[in-house]
Amino acid sequence: MTETDVAIIGGGINGGSTGLELAKNGLNVTIIDKNFICRGASGVNAGTLTMHMTRAQLIPYAKKGWELWMNTSEWLSKEIDVEKKNGLCLAFTEDEEKLLIERSKIRKEYGADISIISIKEAQRIDPNINSSIKCAAFCEMDGYVSANQTGNAYSKALKENKVKILENYDVSKIDYHKNKYVIIFKNGEKLTASSIILATGVNLEKTLKLLEINIKIKCLPQQLIVSERMPKIMDTVITVANGKLSLKQFKNGTVLIGGGWPGIGNVEDNYTETKPENLIGNMMLACHAIPRLKSSRVARVWLGLEAETDDAMPIIGEIPNYENAYIIGSIHSGYTSGPYMGKLLAEKILGKDIDLSLFDIKRFL
Amino acid sequence: MINNRKYDVIVIGAGPSGVSSAINCAKKGLKVLIVDLNSNSGGQIYRAPPKTYKSISKKLEENVIQNKLSDEIKKFKIETAYNHTVWQVSPGFKVNAFNETSTIQWQSKSLIIATGTYEKIIPFEGWTIPGVIGLAACTVILKAHHFIPSKKIVLAGNGPLLMLVAYYVIQFGGKVDAIIDTSSKIDWIKSTLSLITNPKNFRDGIKWIFKIFLKRIPFYSNSTVEKAFEVDGGINVKIRNLKNGKAKNIISETIAIGHGLIPSTDITRLLRAEHIYDEQKGGWIAKVDRFLRSSISGVYIAGDGAGISGALAATDKGLLASSALLYDEKFISQTEFDHNTYKILKKLDKYEVFAKAIFKLNSTPKKLIESINNGTVICRCEDITKSEILRAVDQGAKDINQIKSWTRLGMGPCQGRTCHYATSKIVAEYLNCEIDNLGYLTGRSPIRPVPLDRVLGDFDYEKITKVEAAPL
Ligand SMILES: Cc1cc2nc3c(=O)[nH]c(=O)nc-3n(C[C@H](O)[C@H](O)[C@H](O)COP(=O)(O)OP(=O)(O)OC[C@H]3O[C@@H](n4cnc5c(N)ncnc54)[C@H](O)[C@@H]3O)c2cc1C
């Protein structure tokens, strides 16, 4: 039987970031994933780093996350493309205008540098947007990551920091006695750890059951649509007032359409399936925002599963009644803030005075 | 999106196997729809000339067979949806397609997938320049359109298509500058005995070879195109002998190259059916039982999708798959099923000998994979080179989907149809492992690129489906 200081179950952006920070501080870390590193939500998400879609209370964290993303070569790896872009959030009707002004004001109160601008100003920032908008919200702190490269970047950084990675290891049981955890895998192998961190994304509900903790984690199957490569048709990250569109063009020319339009899927057998009517709705909204997009073709559609708690706020911190057991996940716009959230949890574990009370799991128990 | 039609069975693909299975079902009174992206039945082998070509006078034998197929479809009142490209199939079964003007969704209890094969091309440096086309694509130009791609042409790759294309190019007045074959003359002689089991095709083969012989076309055995680049007046083709390493350059106008066919698994991968790797049957194929039932209840694979066995077997495979469907849905009795399938299975065994011989001539030699230069683009949709693939492998990518996500290979409009096979070969060769261990690309919708203007049409902003606002 092998031993480790910290066993992290789930190698997504949250488990990966926490593990990386702990390892950099000298701990012996093992990351376990039932698949490969960052092949869950963290490898298939839209990679948008926007304040316009972030939940107001999470803005301070998203800002810190954004800053980390902007200098990945320092703490992560050079193997990942990150672009800073201006962000425009559009309102097409009077109702949407009201909603946009109201939501932007609240986000601003939480620290996002968002301002409401006129049609003219918006068109100056990106002339490709639909000229029939009522107004737009503008934020300089925006951009995107090529999320498909997350797995490569994290594997490399984790290995360089001597984190042990166990891929294709599915945890089936966790035994706890004498302040030690014995993790038992489906293949029969075992791992002993002094500390565990649960970071299994959409599988958190199931993983928590291994510690006899029952809380509800919703599974949101979300669709993403990508176009074939096109000449440059836009120059900003585009979102809309109600938060149901994210749109940007990557350097290679493909345009990614997202926004959390639901598809079909479930956690049990990791199944996903597109919902054509929702694809159409999402595409229409995208083409309405950037009319030239309509001359393109859709090359690929895929889905990812996102975790959400009942109050749509994260759970991060200690797991009650267990020594040295922690949890991290269910973070809205979790890719944006993941690197920072992971760092925070790591600092807490390392003994720093970090306030995570907003994310305490106890609120569900 | 119109969403009104319900069928007992939808047959996707109107080649010989799709048509025979559709007819078999229609005869028993099932409500059948047959869908194809082409403008008529016939598939790749009996491809119909475009409707606007009123004056194709000299009809090829293939065109005549095609006419027969379309008469039968009319006779049995099978509904057809030609010019419809299927882009999404989901359980239940819902089939989404688009045509020139709009999109449509149909529903059915069962599905017969008869989408055949597509062309296998092992990449070489320069295969993406204008003037390089597929060998099978070239047969389409010849057979359905009665054109030759250019006056002068080099034919490369392997298998009987080389001879067939050479024959038609000469027939239509073109000049074949060279035939470059990865197989040896001995491979051809060895396969003769098996090929003879199919006298009709064998006779055709002899006819083609005779013509090639008469024209004294330079024939390079054990050889491949290593590199091609544009020069004044055409393309410089660098030929490399895979055995003795000798190289030679010739100038021509077009290169038609192909290394056989790959079974189409887009729809079965999309439906998350089980697949297995079988090199002899063309690569990754949907797993089927003896009667061509896939691992998903209600989905049957007719034709080459679950393993290549050629045009003659296609009709019988269509009958077999549809008999299984008719039996499963209780339209025929056990006795009738046993009676029908017994004869078909026997016939199919015979065709298998022929198919295996063809496969040998179309096999991909190790040396051919090794001959691909590191700078060669493998995924042409995303411009991913061999060295980028190997770099991802060096960094720890362990299967083809991880290579996909780290490099973007297979993420473009063709969704890996063109690069999947070659990538598997290259990586398996590099790691000295079985291709099975690398897995296959996860199926993703749309299986053909969907033009946004066509699926969306003109719409008002107010008409867009409203979804719940994201939480603030
Ligand atoms: C389609 C989509 C688009 C999104 N777009 C954006 C966006 O644009 N911007 C943004 O900021 N956020 C976005 N998100 C949200 C973001 O992707 C997630 O919040 C974030 O990636 C979650 O990371 P995670 O590490 O918690 O989970 P995951 O990345 O899902 O990682 C969990 C890991 O745990 C492993 N695991 C599960 N069970 C076990 C077990 N029993 N044993 C071992 N391992 C196990 C899984 O294999 C997986 O690798 C999007 C999400 C989706 C689904």
Side-chain angles (χ1 to χ4, degrees):
Chain A
M1 189 155 53
T2 33
E3 281 213 43
T4 183
D5 292 346
V6 187
I8 301 181
I9 307 175
I13 192 99
N14 286 316
S17 305
T18 314
L20 194 55
E21 188 64 21
L22 289 174
K24 282 180 183 172
N25 283 281
L27 286 183
N28 175 344
V29 179
T30 304
I31 293 198
I32 301 150
D33 204 294
K34 66 170 179 177
N35 197 321
F36 292 111
I37 293 284
C38 298
R39 271 272 272 277
S42 303
V44 301
N45 73 88
T48 310
L49 308 174
T50 187
M51 298 304 131
H52 291 301
M53 288 168 88
T54 298
R55 294 207 62 188
Q57 282 177 291
L58 297 179
I59 291 276
Y61 303 90
K63 279 170 71 179
K64 294 279 191 186
W66 187 92
E67 278 159 11
L68 283 170
W69 277 119
M70 290 302 145
N71 78 58
T72 41
S73 57
E74 268 174 34
W75 63 274
L76 182 63
S77 144
K78 290 194 186 75
E79 298 287 335
I80 191 155
D81 295 328
V82 185
E83 286 278 311
K84 190 223 159 286
K85 287 280 170 191
N86 288 322
L88 284 179
C89 190
L90 310 178
F92 299 110
T93 64
E94 267 156 33
D95 285 349
E96 288 174 8
E97 186 176 15
K98 250 190 257 156
L99 183 70
L100 184 61
I101 292 171
E102 181 194 308
R103 288 191 155 195
S104 299
K105 187 169 157 255
I106 297 171
R107 288 194 170 102
K108 196 167 173 162
E109 282 163 15
Y110 278 95
D113 189 12
I114 297 177
S115 50
I116 299 294
I117 58 172
S118 68
I119 309 174
K120 266 222 175 105
E121 284 169 296
Q123 279 182 315
R124 211 176 44 234
I125 292 164
D126 193 341
N128 305 292
I129 57 170
N130 190 329
S131 54
S132 75
I133 57 164
K134 293 279 178 249
C135 72
F138 169 72
C139 182
E140 259 189 56
M141 194 178 246
D142 213 315
Y144 55 79
V145 187
S146 297
N148 56 296
Q149 300 163 343
T150 319
N152 193 3
Y154 269 86
S155 312
K156 199 159 177 246
L158 289 168
K159 279 183 214 154
E160 278 167 9
N161 285 283
K162 307 213 163 43
V163 173
K164 194 166 171 215
I165 299 176
L166 296 178
E167 289 177 319
N168 291 315
Y169 275 76
D170 195 346
V171 176
S172 61
K173 204 168 166 226
I174 303 172
D175 280 340
Y176 174 58
H177 55 121
K178 291 192 198 136
N179 292 346
K180 284 260 179 198
Y181 295 88
V182 180
I183 298 166
I184 303 161
F185 302 108
K186 261 203 184 138
N187 63 11
E189 288 178 39
K190 288 178 185 174
L191 174 73
T192 306
S194 324
S195 170
I196 54 167
I197 302 172
L198 310 188
T200 51
V202 80
N203 283 284
L204 274 177
E205 182 177 320
K206 205 173 137 197
T207 320
L208 277 168
K209 284 209 173 91
L210 300 176
L211 298 178
E212 282 159 8
I213 295 172
N214 291 305
I215 64 168
K216 175 88 202 123
I217 307 261
K218 277 177 278 181
C219 163
L220 314 178
Q222 305 201 343
Q223 315 191 124
L224 291 175
I225 303 162
V226 71
S227 79
E228 62 190 341
R229 293 196 276 186
M230 294 192 77
K232 194 166 183 175
I233 60 158
M234 59 188 296
D235 199 27
T236 41
V237 171
I238 299 289
T239 51
V240 294
N242 71 1
K244 294 312 267 186
L245 178 71
S246 82
L247 188 62
K248 70 245 176 208
Q249 184 167 27
F250 287 96
K251 256 203 225 150
N252 74 350
T254 57
V255 176
L256 185 64
I257 309 172
W261 285 62
I264 300 164
N266 64 59
V267 203
E268 290 72 39
D269 29 35
N270 196 20
Y271 178 80
T272 58
E273 179 193 323
T274 54
K275 228 187 206 173
E277 60 272 30
N278 278 355
L279 290 179
I280 304 264
N282 200 356
M283 291 177 200
M284 280 182 171
L285 191 53
C287 290
H288 188 73
I290 302 284
R292 273 167 71 203
L293 183 58
K294 224 179 151 185
S295 63
S296 172
R297 296 188 303 171
V298 174
R300 204 158 35 91
V301 171
W302 73 94
L303 291 97
L305 301 176
E306 191 170 7
E308 194 183 84
T309 56
D310 274 342
D311 61 6
M313 285 293 278
I315 25 180
I316 307 172
E318 288 161 325
I319 299 178
N321 304 327
Y322 288 87
E323 283 292 314
N324 301 320
Y326 304 88
I327 185 166
I328 180 165
S330 248
I331 306 165
H332 226 268
S333 297
Y335 193 71
T336 309
S337 51
Y340 182 63
M341 295 298 201
K343 199 164 176 252
L344 274 187
L345 179 61
E347 284 171 358
K348 169 128 194 141
I349 294 170
L350 290 164
K352 276 203 189 162
D353 185 19
I354 306 283
D355 179 16
L356 294 172
S357 54
L358 190 56
F359 313 128
D360 199 337
I361 190 174
K362 281 202 204 106
R363 70 189 191 277
F364 297 115
L365 297 174
Chain B
M1 188 163 46
I2 318 158
N3 183 0
N4 50 358
R5 295 280 170 80
K6 289 197 169 142
Y7 297 88
D8 294 319
V9 52
I10 295 178
V11 179
I12 306 175
S17 69
V19 172
S20 78
S21 56
I23 292 170
N24 204 19
C25 292
K27 274 183 181 166
K28 292 285 171 190
L30 276 73
K31 194 170 175 214
V32 184
L33 173 74
I34 187 161
V35 190
D36 201 298
L37 55 83
N38 285 306
S39 59
N40 211 328
S41 59
Q44 300 294 6
I45 178 104
Y46 309 126
R47 192 185 273 256
K51 289 218 166 83
T52 44
Y53 290 17
K54 291 232 165 55
S55 60
I56 288 193
S57 52
K58 247 197 335 188
K59 285 216 165 164
L60 304 179
E61 188 188 340
E62 277 85 353
N63 302 148
V64 177
I65 299 181
Q66 192 280 318
N67 283 340
K68 266 197 213 149
L69 292 180
S70 70
D71 287 348
E72 295 231 315
I73 289 175
K74 273 184 213 132
K75 193 169 127 201
F76 289 101
K77 300 207 171 53
I78 294 167
E79 277 187 58
T80 58
Y82 297 129
N83 296 312
H84 276 80
T85 304
V86 171
W87 61 275
Q88 146 103 351
V89 180
S90 43
F93 294 98
K94 294 184 212 96
V95 177
N96 291 276
F98 63 86
N99 65 4
E100 277 299 314
T101 50
S102 62
T103 58
I104 185 163
Q105 185 184 73
W106 305 289
Q107 288 186 33
S108 69
K109 269 190 256 161
S110 313
L111 274 185
I112 296 182
I113 299 171
T115 45
T117 57
Y118 48 86
E119 180 146 47
K120 182 204 293 176
I121 301 176
I122 305 298
F124 59 90
E125 199 180 324
W127 71 305
T128 51
I129 62 170
V132 180
I133 61 171
L135 197 60
C138 193
T139 64
V140 172
I141 301 175
L142 292 162
K143 286 205 266 183
H145 300 257
H146 299 207
F147 288 166
I148 45 174
S150 61
K151 269 254 161 275
K152 286 153 55 69
I153 187 164
V154 165
L155 305 178
N158 51 31
L161 266 188
L162 282 174
M163 310 301 172
L164 174 134
V165 173
Y167 174 82
Y168 280 123
V169 168
I170 301 164
Q171 195 83 331
F172 291 131
K175 178 169 179 284
V176 179
D177 284 329
I179 297 179
I180 304 162
D181 185 358
T182 63
S183 308
S184 67
K185 295 224 167 77
I186 295 169
D187 293 333
W188 280 92
I189 293 164
K190 273 196 201 150
S191 63
T192 319
L193 265 181
S194 309
L195 293 176
I196 242 166
T197 58
N198 183 338
K200 153 103 189 37
N201 284 14
F202 187 72
R203 251 181 283 126
D204 281 348
I206 299 290
K207 183 173 81 181
W208 305 334
I209 290 173
F210 193 62
K211 188 125 200 170
I212 294 162
F213 181 73
L214 279 184
K215 287 278 172 186
R216 295 179 186 283
I217 297 171
F219 199 102
Y220 299 85
S221 291
N222 287 317
S223 298
T224 189
V225 177
E226 186 182 74
K227 189 174 173 177
F229 52 91
E230 290 172 281
V231 289
D232 260 357
I235 298 177
N236 184 348
V237 187
K238 185 174 179 192
I239 306 166
R240 172 79 68 188
N241 187 305
L242 294 170
K243 265 219 166 120
N244 61 22
K246 277 189 192 152
K248 187 182 161 112
N249 288 287
I250 59 173
I251 308 281
S252 188
E253 287 170 3
T254 303
I255 303 174
I257 184 164
H259 302 87
L261 301 167
I262 297 175
S264 141
T265 52
D266 311 291
I267 297 174
T268 44
R269 280 186 292 128
L270 203 58
L271 287 169
R272 305 286 178 262
E274 279 179 54
H275 291 75
I276 52 168
Y277 192 83
D278 187 337
E279 183 73 40
Q280 298 246 354
K281 290 191 167 162
W284 283 106
I285 52 173
K287 189 176 164 196
V288 286
D289 71 2
R290 277 176 78 209
F291 304 104
L292 304 178
R293 296 178 178 102
S294 76
S295 64
I296 295 178
S297 135
V299 179
Y300 306 80
I301 323 279
D304 282 341
I308 295 172
S309 32
L312 287 179
T315 306
D316 287 311
K317 281 172 128 184
L319 291 176
L320 193 62
S322 50
S323 298
L325 184 157
L326 290 170
Y327 173 70
D328 294 345
E329 293 295 320
K330 303 198 170 52
F331 284 91
I332 58 174
S333 66
Q334 175 89 48
T335 341
E336 192 175 351
F337 174 67
D338 290 344
H339 175 80
N340 292 351
T341 53
Y342 177 75
K343 277 187 290 184
I344 302 172
L345 286 171
K346 273 207 133 165
K347 249 163 107 188
L348 285 173
D349 280 345
K350 214 180 80 189
Y351 294 139
E352 214 53 29
V353 181
F354 184 76
K356 278 205 179 118
I358 298 283
F359 165 75
K360 282 224 174 86
L361 290 170
N362 271 135
S363 65
T364 311
K366 219 172 132 139
K367 283 242 160 76
L368 179 63
I369 299 299
E370 286 168 1
S371 78
I372 303 170
N373 301 338
N374 274 342
T376 303
V377 168
I378 306 297
C379 163
R380 57 191 297 168
C381 296
E382 296 285 339
D383 291 325
I384 310 300
T385 60
K386 180 178 175 183
S387 58
E388 285 170 276
I389 296 171
L390 297 184
R391 182 164 177 266
V393 174
D394 285 338
Q395 285 172 336
K398 291 187 188 73
D399 72 2
I400 192 147
N401 285 302
Q402 217 165 4
I403 295 173
K404 173 182 175 180
S405 85
W406 293 7
T407 64
R408 300 194 59 82
L409 173 130
M411 286 194 184
C414 97
Q415 294 243 37
R417 265 192 294 281
T418 321
C419 64
H420 196 175
Y421 181 87
T423 305
S424 304
K425 282 276 180 189
I426 289 169
V427 177
E429 170 78 35
Y430 185 68
L431 294 176
N432 197 13
C433 72
E434 297 292 322
I435 288 180
D436 306 53
N437 298 340
L438 301 172
Y440 53 87
L441 292 172
T442 308
R444 295 284 181 217
S445 161
I447 55 174
R448 289 290 188 285
V450 175
L452 277 166
D453 56 353
R454 229 179 278 173
V455 273
L456 303 184
D458 290 325
F459 62 90
D460 293 330
Y461 181 65
E462 293 69 39
K463 288 266 166 64
I464 302 176
T465 321
K466 292 282 168 286
V467 279
E468 207 187 321
L472 175 70

